[in-house]
Amino acid sequence: MRRGSAEDEEGHVSSQASPTLSLKGIGASPGVAVGHAYILDRKRVRTPKLRLAEAEVDPERQRMRTALELSDQQLSDLKDQISRTEGPEHALILEAHRLMLHDPMFVDEVNRLIVEDRINAEWAVRRVARKLKHLFDNIPDEYFRERRSDVEYVADRVVRNLLGQVVDEEVSLPDHAVVVAHDLSPADAAMLVRGGQVAGFVTDLGGHTSHTAIVARARSTPAVLGAGRASEQISPGDLVALDGTRGIILVNPSEEQLALFQETMRRHQESEARALAAKDLPAQSTDGFRIRLVGNIEFPEELPSLLAHGAEGIGLYRTEFMFLDRKTPPSEEEQYRAYRQVLEAMDGRPVTIRTLDLGGDKVPGKGRHEKEPNPAMGLRAIRYCLSDRALFRVQLRALLRASVHGHLRVMFPLICGMSELREARSELEACRTELGRAGVPLGKRFQVGIMVETPSAALIADRLAQEADFFSIGTNDLIQYSLAIDRQNREVAYLYKPLHLSVLRSLRSIVTAAKDAGIPVSMCGEMAGDPIYALVLLALGFDELSMTAGQIPTVKNVLRQASREEATRLLATAMELTTAEEIERYVRTEMDKRFSSEG
Ligand code: PEP
Ligand code: MG
């Protein structure tokens, strides 16, 4: 997270007199930023449309050749620059753009239109680009479908060169600017973050998986994308405060709003400083009880941040995010690439990949799905996968293939009974046999566990532990189902109580079942990352806690300052009490006494 530049000499950030505008987009790269808007207008290149006389055809083809050569040279220079500063991964995107310049589907077709339809090169380029984009639209594989925007970037570059316009102009950004654009090409985004002076990004288009999001996350630059008409609504120099976690943008915020953003920024900065200081220290109580702190991720781009915060592995990779906001599911190959990337990045540390938890609030193929009357209790997670075996098998095969690249733990969500676990395992076994027969190498250290997140699983945890290699408790759902509160419903949010006696009793009995069976037990719900509960979880005996990268340092700090013995006393007293309010008051008071400065 970076600070904005709207500071006077004494470091006060001032808001402006203009009315505040509040915009919403997709929180694509976490963190908070405040800065003055820099509007990068790259969207409109007007394409002249001209008919050619016969004598103009050859010179037009020559003009096209020159523009292609120039574009190629520019991309090659950019690629060199970016691979030096950003690493080869981003440079690959530009290499793909160069390939397109030489692709006969593109070049020959443009020439054909110039010769046969007698239209000028700019117009021909646009027509071919439109056709290619249409072809990409129909490819089922998201990875290739995403290349639609690449066609646009390449066509744009060629048209600008044909028109003799400046391409890749060195943008001289004021320090700590919030860059606002209709859309950003990967080259633009990489160039802009390279200098390090961008506080944040706001774009009209794009989403969580667009290149801008990936570049922003890799550089920890907060970003809100897909923000509608933000680039028209925000004026150059406006003070912009953005929250890249919640997808919120405030333009010219009030003093109070600014103060809140600054407070979030301050806390974030503090926790970042703590993260660096504690990165390599073990999460171990003063009497030597060690808990492994691991990370929750939704996308592989979060890996650098996890590693920077000292994650000792991944406790929950929510793979369903790869399936959202697209019409067709990712292919086995695309999934394999993502899982392999995560396993390799974690370099032998355990990586828990959860099979699809679609359904409920996470509906694939945006808009196509009929809404279930009661989605939280409907066809969700493992139920969804068992009802669509083909979809499930693609994922299982991708996981099995990736298993050679690290320490993989496959985890099934929302298991309610033994039959579901057996059914899921037998699908996995079938895929394993199939791949084994085909001679595909599989990993040796391969475990299969379950999320314990329903009251029924909690009550038969002793039995489930006989057939699962590990447990991970999903408190978000366990609490939702135990206390009968819809986690999406704001009206009942006040009833969400992780310290409800029923929840504590469930947790205790699940941990006991795991210990009795000799299998490790983890927690990956939000409760695991809240430092207030750290001693309760230490007392309960968790082997592992999984949370977002930013929460790791604070939880570790708490665990390192207490003994298991005092945590056990605290829990025993807490469980003597009855109401959730009493328990919470008691635990909060005790935690405040010990760690009032921990936040
Ligand atoms: C949970 O339910 O606690 C959990 C971690 O899973 P999700 O939030 O993805 O349902
Ligand atoms: Mg869950």
Side-chain angles (χ1 to χ4, degrees):
M1 185 212 49
R2 292 138 214 263
R3 294 202 62 155
S5 65
E7 292 181 19
D8 61 23
E9 277 160 19
E10 282 149 306
H12 302 302
V13 178
S14 59
S15 69
Q16 319 202 338
S18 334
T20 300
L21 176 69
S22 160
L23 304 172
K24 188 98 186 76
I26 297 161
S29 178
V32 171
V34 177
H36 288 293
Y38 181 93
I39 314 287
L40 190 72
D41 189 4
R42 288 258 165 96
K43 75 174 155 170
R44 278 170 230 108
V45 196
R46 290 187 65 84
T47 310
K49 294 181 177 169
L50 304 169
R51 295 278 168 195
L52 302 174
E54 193 172 346
E56 289 169 325
V57 168
D58 276 344
E60 194 65 4
R61 290 188 58 185
Q62 180 53 44
R63 213 162 67 84
M64 180 65 197
R65 253 196 307 279
T66 312
L68 283 175
E69 281 163 15
L70 191 58
S71 304
D72 190 52
Q73 189 54 49
Q74 288 161 350
L75 285 171
S76 157
D77 292 347
L78 254 181
K79 188 189 144 204
D80 291 346
Q81 268 179 39
I82 286 175
S83 51
R84 274 197 305 275
T85 52
E86 293 299 302
E89 187 191 330
H90 299 301
L92 278 181
I93 301 169
L94 294 167
E95 190 53 37
H97 289 186
R98 280 184 74 194
L99 286 177
M100 215 174 297
L101 289 175
H102 301 284
D103 192 326
M105 286 242 282
F106 179 66
V107 185
D108 294 357
E109 190 59 13
V110 170
N111 281 324
R112 193 188 65 77
L113 291 181
I114 294 174
V115 175
E116 290 177 15
D117 290 14
R118 299 259 190 93
I119 59 172
N120 64 327
E122 290 90 336
W123 190 2
V125 168
R126 286 292 179 215
R127 270 177 50 180
V128 175
R130 195 171 342 121
K131 207 160 116 191
L132 285 175
K133 280 198 309 190
H134 192 65
L135 284 179
F136 278 101
D137 274 342
N138 297 323
I139 297 179
D141 188 308
E142 169 77 358
Y143 181 79
F144 290 107
R145 236 170 338 105
E146 267 184 20
R147 307 284 76 84
R148 257 176 329 212
S149 49
D150 294 340
V151 173
E152 184 132 38
Y153 296 134
V154 172
D156 233 61
R157 175 176 296 275
V158 176
V159 170
R160 279 182 196 274
N161 280 323
L162 281 164
L163 293 170
Q165 287 187 358
V166 185
V167 185
D168 303 323
E169 70 191 288
E170 273 294 322
V171 181
S172 65
L173 274 188
D175 241 16
H176 301 300
V178 170
V179 173
V180 181
H182 178 64
D183 193 13
L184 279 176
S185 74
D188 277 338
M191 269 202 315
L192 289 168
V193 292
R194 197 179 58 206
Q197 69 273 58
V198 175
F201 286 114
V202 173
T203 61
D204 300 346
L205 303 183
H208 218 285
T209 49
S210 62
H211 285 309
T212 310
I214 295 171
V215 172
R217 278 199 296 271
R219 292 296 297 249
S220 308
T221 306
V224 179
L225 308 184
R229 296 190 302 116
S231 71
E232 289 167 25
Q233 293 168 294
I234 302 176
S235 307
D238 275 348
L239 187 62
V240 177
L242 66 100
D243 182 333
T245 309
R246 294 184 296 155
I248 293 170
I249 305 159
L250 292 180
V251 186
N252 299 319
S254 68
E255 294 290 345
E256 299 84 69
Q257 290 168 324
L258 204 53
L260 275 179
F261 264 81
Q262 282 168 330
E263 177 56 19
T264 315
M265 276 165 69
R266 194 187 57 72
R267 279 208 246 124
H268 195 86
Q269 272 165 346
E270 277 177 12
S271 90
E272 288 300 299
R274 273 202 300 272
L276 286 179
K279 180 177 162 309
D280 298 317
L281 297 175
Q284 184 167 318
S285 67
T286 54
D287 50 357
F289 194 85
R290 177 91 162 83
I291 297 185
R292 186 165 57 208
L293 297 189
V294 293
N296 288 357
I297 60 166
E298 275 86 42
F299 292 96
E301 292 79 41
E302 293 162 66
L303 291 167
S305 169
L306 263 195
L307 290 168
H309 288 81
E312 299 172 87
I314 290 177
L316 172 64
Y317 174 9
R318 291 179 161 105
T319 57
E320 59 277 7
F321 279 81
M322 210 189 315
F323 290 66
L324 303 177
D325 285 331
R326 55 194 289 170
K327 291 196 194 92
T328 48
S331 64
E332 181 181 316
E333 193 55 33
E334 185 183 343
Q335 292 187 53
Y336 163 73
R337 276 199 300 265
Y339 306 150
R340 175 181 176 165
Q341 186 188 348
V342 175
L343 283 159
E344 285 182 343
M346 295 316 283
D347 197 20
R349 299 177 188 91
V351 172
T352 313
I353 304 188
R354 178 172 78 181
T355 60
L356 282 173
D357 188 353
L358 286 174
D361 58 325
K362 290 176 277 196
V363 183
K366 209 162 132 189
R368 284 182 320 141
H369 233 254
E370 261 185 41
K371 222 170 163 35
E372 289 188 85
N374 202 343
M377 299 209 197
L379 193 61
R380 194 200 136 177
I382 198 67
R383 304 169 182 180
Y384 191 102
C385 285
L386 292 175
S387 76
D388 187 344
R389 302 287 172 122
L391 180 88
F392 193 30
R393 276 171 161 253
V394 169
Q395 180 169 43
L396 294 176
R397 284 173 59 92
L399 283 167
L400 284 159
R401 282 175 54 203
S403 65
V404 277
H405 300 292
H407 180 180
L408 175 62
R409 309 196 305 179
V410 171
M411 176 159 81
F412 299 127
L414 208 77
I415 293 288
C416 287
M418 189 66 97
S419 310
E420 274 171 343
L421 171 57
R422 288 184 183 155
E423 208 50 50
R425 280 200 91 131
S426 89
E427 279 300 340
L428 185 71
E429 277 317 308
C431 293
R432 199 202 298 247
T433 312
E434 203 174 270
L435 288 169
R437 275 207 203 105
V440 177
L442 304 174
K444 306 234 169 352
R445 273 196 297 171
F446 182 79
Q447 290 153 320
V448 184
I450 62 167
M451 291 205 60
V452 181
E453 53 182 345
T454 60
S456 64
L459 286 167
I460 59 162
D462 56 336
R463 306 289 171 87
L464 292 168
Q466 302 303 318
E467 299 188 26
D469 300 329
F470 64 90
F471 280 167
S472 185
I473 303 182
T475 43
N476 307 341
D477 279 316
L478 185 63
I479 296 170
Q480 145 164 278
Y481 297 122
S482 299
L483 304 182
I485 42 162
D486 179 350
R487 62 194 261 200
Q488 305 297 327
N489 185 341
R490 275 193 301 182
E491 303 298 319
V492 290
Y494 73 100
L495 291 170
Y496 180 86
K497 300 277 183 210
L499 294 180
H500 194 289
L501 188 57
S502 67
V503 176
L504 291 177
R505 286 184 175 175
S506 281
L507 295 179
R508 193 167 59 183
S509 90
I510 301 164
V511 174
T512 306
K515 301 269 169 209
D516 288 349
I519 62 168
V521 57
S522 175
M523 175 184 282
C524 62
E526 292 307 303
M527 186 181 185
D530 189 332
I532 283 290
Y533 308 125
L535 293 197
V536 168
L537 304 181
L538 172 66
L540 284 166
F542 280 90
D543 300 295
E544 182 185 279
L545 299 175
S546 191
M547 58 202 77
T548 53
Q551 293 170 318
I552 293 175
T554 321
V555 172
K556 186 191 282 186
N557 206 22
V558 171
L559 292 172
R560 285 179 58 80
Q561 289 180 51
S563 68
R564 174 112 196 270
E565 202 190 322
E566 67 173 305
T568 307
R569 275 199 304 275
L570 179 139
L571 179 64
T573 310
M575 290 183 75
E576 292 290 314
L577 303 169
T578 304
T579 70
E581 292 73 23
E582 281 167 353
I583 300 179
E584 188 163 323
R585 205 174 315 118
Y586 170 71
V587 170
R588 276 191 189 277
T589 312
E590 289 300 308
M591 293 302 283
D592 275 351
K593 274 192 221 155
R594 290 171 173 83
F595 311 99
S596 51
S597 65
E598 296 302 328

